[in-house]
Amino acid sequence: MNEYILLLIGTVLVNNFVLVQFLGLCPFMGVSNKLEYAVGMSAATTFVLTVSSVATYVVHSLILAPLGLAFLKTITFILIIAFVVQFTEMVIRKTSPLLYRVLGIFLPLITTNCAVLGVSLLNISKQNNLIESFLYGFGAAVGFSLVLVLFSAMRERINLADVPVPFQGPAIGLIATGIISLAFMGFSGLVAV
Amino acid sequence: MITATITLLLIATVCGAILGFAAIRFKPDGDPLVDQIDAILPQTQCGQCGHPGCRPYAEGIADGEPINKCPPGGEATIQALADLLDVEPMPLDAEHGEEKGKQVAVIREQECIGCTKCIQAMVLVQSTIRTWYTDKPTSLIELIATDRNPLNNTKENAA
Amino acid sequence: MSAQPITIARSKVWNLPGGIHPAEHKAESNKTPIEAIPLPSTLWLPLSMHLGAPALPCVKVGDTVLKGELIAKAESGISANIHAPTSGRISAIENHAFAHESGFKQPALCLEVDGLEAWRVQNPWADWKNHQISDIVQRIRDGGVTGMGGAGFPTDIKYRNKHAPIHTLLINAAECEPYITADDRLIREKADEILQGAEICQHLLGADNILIGIEDNKPEAISAFETAAQQLGIKIVLAVVPTKYPSGGEKQLIQLTLGVEVPKKGLPSDVGVVCQNVGTLRQVYRSVVLDEPLISRITTVTGKAVSKPGNYEVLIGTSIETVLNHASAHLKKADRVIMGGPMMGFALPDITAPVIKTTNCLLAATKKELPAPIIDNPCIRCGLCEQACPVDLLPQQLLWSSKNRHLEYAELHSIQDCIECGACAYVCPSRIPLVHYFRYTKGELRQEEKDLQESERARKRFENRQARIEREKQEKEERRKARAEAAAKALAEKKSNTDGSSEAGKDDPIKAALERAAAKKQAKTTTVETQTPEELKELVEKAKAKFEKAQQKLKDAEANNPSIDAYLSKASVKLEEKYLTADKTYQAALNKQDKSSS
């Protein structure tokens, strides 16, 4: 039980996927202008990450590894991730057309979110079992959502402020991300991961 | 080699089947986005945006048209649409008309013959003591980048 | 009037967040007793001196009115009566200067004062306790009593519609704004009337306590209350709050004296409190007990441009200029004349405007005293404004959203709860006019709300019209289709009839008749061939008889009735033919018989 909690803390804070491992920066910068839409995006990414983490683990351990097809894992994982993302897109389109419209291209771009593929591949390299895979994927998603929500709240205020013209938009966003990243460095060493 | 191909194909087929089923199950009905956009537009049905009414323009916006084509709505509508759709607010497109402030014409319904001269004769709505409010304060120093935003320049209240 | 001394309890005081301590400037005007202004020559009474619907005039131009007579009646709902402050003649009902920032003129009644001060008939109630509560509340409404602290809310409304039980009547004696001392002097001189008014209000509410919220910079007023309460035997509780601006706001005073916050978009009655200004309570006493309507009020006239600063009892409708002149104001020295205090008041665009029911102070300030606003600097995000806000809002965030016109964001940060006290603007090191921005944003929000309602109605009307046109088009189409079908059907029937089916002929009598005739003809020809000579002979006889009859008729017609001559001659010709044909057939048949027999 303890290891699972530590695994979660490690993934959410210590090795935060966005701020420490610098994966998944594209949706992070692109969607964080308004808080409600950022929450919608993080919910979608959480769903995709968790489900694909488990699904890829299952496919790898039940189909690819026994058949000696471990070299196919990259392409198979991408296939599965694309499938999950497409499914999520359909659900969002049905339940909230406004969110669908606002997220725009970033929703299918979750497929290319390196955090998602990264989680799947890291699960294999770390030799996680099923529960650990699930927690790893879930923890990565929670870490991503935490930072995305925090950052979009900050972004809302930055957008209203007197930013010099050369810095307006993603530029000031990246600078702010760098500073938060420095702050998150304070967590390093908290959990031996 | 063969097992690899077959495995991949199998996984792809299963994924595709589930997606196909989901596409039918999760088919969206109607378009509430258009309703939300339509609720923001001023409903003057004037046609200055190039569409025959406000609802067709709302449908156009949902398809990706620019949001700055509505003169009766003016800045307020552009800002509200920008907030809803999470896009940048743009200044009003001058080719569609100018924002003139709210106008009104008084019509005696029983005698109306539909000559539409009233539309040409409309006058600006006068603000009363109950609807009056202060203008946005001006800052002579345009030091702040937001002050240079054309959408935030001080405007007069209607009348 | 009990003999036992009542102990005046002091209640606990809670803390109010934020707030500022500007220089009080109370000493200029609170040293002298209240003085009455002499009768002016004209009074202008605006029809809307209160919150709610304007009153409707019930007098005409030229009418003579007595002092205290009703001259404008309250509309139903939230509205208030207006009475003549003195006797005179109504000389005009027209738009006149009004004390408002916008400078708009408002409809007002002009009263030419005759100087007689003739009162109308008064009906005092010494024994108000014996009257019904609803009657007392109506009497308050009849007296035109509105809130005299500055808002002008019709007082009687607070005593109707008691949807929640009220446990405390809170008397607002704080008067936190600098320069204003009207309430202070009123308490010192008329504490007994105020407390009697409070007693009436407590009775109307069924409240348990009378709680007086007063600042600690008014020790004389506090002792005046205590003395009056002892003398009248009214049980009061005093809550002496530390002097801070804005502790006199209704919701702020409730938070200070009772420790509860009035909920967002709620009223004090939601927490069981009704709050009244001391001036209002005194007026309640005067209206209910003495039957004197609201016709005058205490106004502080102060500022360095005024030689005789102090408090004056002013008749409602007196022009501000008159009041200032009486207080010996040097209007040339005065940079501007502010109605209200320096924090929440506004500069008067026109000082010929009349004093209304809510004019608590006239501040004629020199340029040195209240300098003109200097241009603001950019916001440095120091956060002092947030520390000063008494409602715990974030004025800095409200400023950014106001500058960018992000109305949703402003509403999210509770801009509607801002009481516009000005504490944030007071502390801002960049001198940003924050309240100005908030008023602009609130106005935009109100306008947007109104626009939304109107466009919603317009959309429904438009959709109904489209539906109606569509429906009419449909009906027209259906009718056209029905007609086309009927025509096609009729055509089809006609076609099938010419084929000889008798069922088709049922519907058409003409067709049927023709068919019968054709059938008969057919039958006749067949019958003739098969008939015997005897039968034929009978037929010949019959035809001959018919022919002779026709001839006879023709002869008669020639003699009597020439118009039917033509028809009869035609008929007789036809019958002759028939007779001849029949005869011929008979002869032929006879020949045949002879031939066959021979």
Side-chain angles (χ1 to χ4, degrees), chain A residues 44-59:
Chain A
T45 313
T46 306
F47 178 72
V48 169
L49 254 175
T50 320
V51 170
S52 64
S53 176
V54 172
T56 50
Y57 171 79
V58 163
V59 165

Side-chain angles (χ1 to χ4, degrees), chain B residues 38-43 45 55 75-76 79-80 83 102 127-141 143-144 146-147 152 155 157, chain C residues 48 52-54 98 100-102 104 106 375-378 402-406 433 436-437 439-440 443-444 446-447 450-452 454-455 458-459 462:
Chain B
D38 196 29
I40 295 177
L41 294 175
Q43 305 300 322
Q45 322 291 351
R55 183 115 194 148
E75 284 176 32
Q79 186 77 54
D83 275 340
K102 290 194 151 315
S127 64
T128 62
I129 205 167
R130 283 172 196 255
T131 59
W132 180 91
Y133 55 93
T134 55
D135 279 338
K136 189 166 145 198
T138 41
S139 220
L140 286 182
I141 311 169
L143 188 67
I144 301 173
T146 45
D147 286 334
N152 291 327
K155 63 167 182 66
N157 286 340
Chain C
S48 179
F98 187 72
H100 191 262
E101 294 162 277
S102 60
F104 289 158
Q106 292 292 287
I375 199 72
D376 54 319
N377 282 341
S402 301
K403 268 186 173 255
N404 287 276
R405 211 185 160 277
H406 275 208
H436 222 111
Y437 278 100
R439 284 196 183 139
Y440 161 73
E444 292 280 300
R446 263 201 310 270
Q447 188 66 37
K450 206 160 80 95
D451 286 347
L452 205 68
E454 281 177 9
S455 76
R459 190 175 59 82
F462 181 67

Side-chain angles (χ1 to χ4, degrees), chain C residues 365-573:
Chain C
T366 57
K367 231 186 172 76
K368 222 172 154 195
E369 193 177 10
L370 287 182
I374 316 171
I375 199 72
D376 54 319
N377 282 341
C379 172
I380 60 173
R381 296 183 182 268
C382 60
L384 283 175
C385 53
E386 190 274 322
Q387 290 174 30
C389 181
V391 194
D392 263 343
L393 300 177
L394 298 173
Q396 200 193 103
Q397 291 309 311
L398 294 176
L399 171 70
W400 293 122
S401 47
S402 301
K403 268 186 173 255
N404 287 276
R405 211 185 160 277
H406 275 208
L407 302 177
E408 208 183 80
Y409 197 66
E411 195 149 8
L412 194 69
H413 283 286
S414 308
I415 197 171
Q416 302 286 13
D417 288 332
C418 168
I419 60 172
E420 296 177 18
C421 65
C424 51
Y426 184 82
V427 297
C428 180
S430 298
R431 297 179 304 271
I432 300 175
L434 289 164
V435 180
H436 222 111
Y437 278 100
F438 303 158
R439 284 196 183 139
Y440 161 73
T441 309
K442 283 192 203 180
E444 292 280 300
L445 277 166
R446 263 201 310 270
Q447 188 66 37
E448 199 185 56
E449 182 67 38
K450 206 160 80 95
D451 286 347
L452 205 68
Q453 279 177 357
E454 281 177 9
S455 76
E456 193 55 36
R457 271 212 314 258
R459 190 175 59 82
K460 284 212 175 74
R461 270 203 304 265
F462 181 67
E463 281 176 3
N464 285 343
R465 179 177 175 265
Q466 297 288 78
R468 174 174 58 87
I469 290 178
E470 196 58 43
R471 198 169 15 103
E472 283 176 0
K473 218 163 57 173
Q474 289 271 51
E475 284 175 4
K476 210 169 169 185
E477 190 61 33
E478 272 168 25
R479 277 201 295 267
R480 194 190 65 83
K481 251 201 255 172
R483 269 203 306 271
E485 269 175 23
K489 217 178 178 186
L491 197 64
E493 283 168 17
K494 201 173 177 187
K495 270 201 182 140
S496 59
N497 271 346
T498 51
D499 293 339
S501 66
S502 55
E503 285 120 41
K506 259 188 223 165
D507 302 276
D508 207 337
I510 298 172
K511 260 200 211 151
L514 283 169
E515 274 181 353
R516 274 202 302 274
K520 218 185 197 176
K521 208 173 185 183
Q522 193 100 345
K524 221 187 194 175
T525 37
T526 47
T527 333
V528 161
E529 282 162 17
T530 53
Q531 268 171 340
T532 57
E534 284 77 25
E535 287 167 355
L536 278 170
K537 193 177 185 188
E538 267 180 50
L539 280 170
V540 171
E541 294 298 312
K542 269 197 197 152
K544 194 179 180 190
K546 269 194 193 158
F547 172 58
E548 277 167 1
K549 224 195 225 174
Q551 290 277 58
Q552 189 60 38
K553 270 206 185 137
L554 188 61
K555 279 206 189 93
D556 286 337
E558 273 170 14
N560 306 330
N561 205 344
S563 60
I564 55 172
D565 200 32
Y567 302 110
L568 280 177
S569 63
K570 238 200 235 164
S572 85
V573 163

